[in-house]
Amino acid sequence: MEDYFSLHLPEDEVRAISSIGLAHLGDAVYELLARSYLCVHGKATGKGLHRAAVELVRAQAQAERAERILPMLTEEELTVFKRGRNAHVNTIPHSASRTDYLRATALECLLGYLYLHGRRERINQLFAAMMEEDGHAT
């Protein structure tokens, strides 16, 4: 049985996944991190929790957090980030600018890539850096 919580795919298998596919997975990784962060930091109260989660996962917020970690990225990670930023997206939500949406997609692509390589420690390092300016280190 495959353990989907502890994936570690070979590079050629990860490379075969489209940027949009990596971003799709990375979106879920980011969502789980954001929800976990909110619960750990006392935001676990019904409607307030939902609003706080929506605020953290919207494209503009993700784009801002992506900018915080750019200087930390390795050459490999930056290549993956740029691959996601250059993905061909067909629709952009009305609530997001094209630039913010593409940066958010790039961040999600990176998170999906790291997740598939089993690099949870690195994901946690980057997420902690993304959240530092919010008053809490994760």
Side-chain angles (χ1 to χ4, degrees):
M1 180 174 93
E2 189 81 43
D3 179 1
Y4 291 101
F5 277 114
S6 300
L7 290 173
H8 186 95
L9 298 180
E11 179 60 31
D12 59 329
E13 288 183 33
V14 176
R15 200 175 316 114
I17 299 171
S18 71
S19 302
I20 298 300
L22 292 175
H24 177 73
L25 180 58
D27 176 58
V29 171
Y30 184 82
E31 176 94 22
L32 181 59
L33 291 167
R35 287 175 179 234
S36 298
Y37 173 86
L38 291 171
C39 287
V40 167
H41 293 287
K43 302 281 188 194
T45 59
K47 195 184 281 188
L49 178 61
H50 177 72
R51 282 190 196 126
V54 168
E55 184 63 28
L56 281 177
V57 300
R58 64 189 177 87
Q60 183 181 0
Q62 286 187 22
E64 290 168 2
R65 284 173 172 75
E67 289 299 314
R68 293 178 191 176
I69 64 166
L70 279 177
M72 297 175 59
L73 299 184
T74 65
E75 193 172 317
E76 172 193 13
E77 292 166 347
L78 192 54
T79 298
V80 173
F81 184 89
K82 288 177 181 178
R83 177 181 164 197
R85 188 185 62 207
N86 295 332
H88 296 286
V89 293
N90 295 324
T91 56
I92 295 173
H94 296 298
S95 61
S97 73
R98 180 170 187 76
T99 301
D100 283 349
Y101 191 75
L102 292 176
R103 274 189 281 177
T105 301
L107 174 63
E108 292 169 349
C109 186
L110 175 62
L111 292 174
Y113 176 87
L114 293 171
Y115 176 80
L116 289 175
H117 278 292
R119 298 184 192 162
R120 279 182 194 67
E121 186 175 330
R122 181 61 173 155
I123 292 170
N124 279 316
Q125 287 174 337
L126 294 174
F127 188 74
M130 283 186 251
M131 303 309 287
E132 278 180 3
E133 290 185 23
D134 291 338
H136 301 286
T138 55

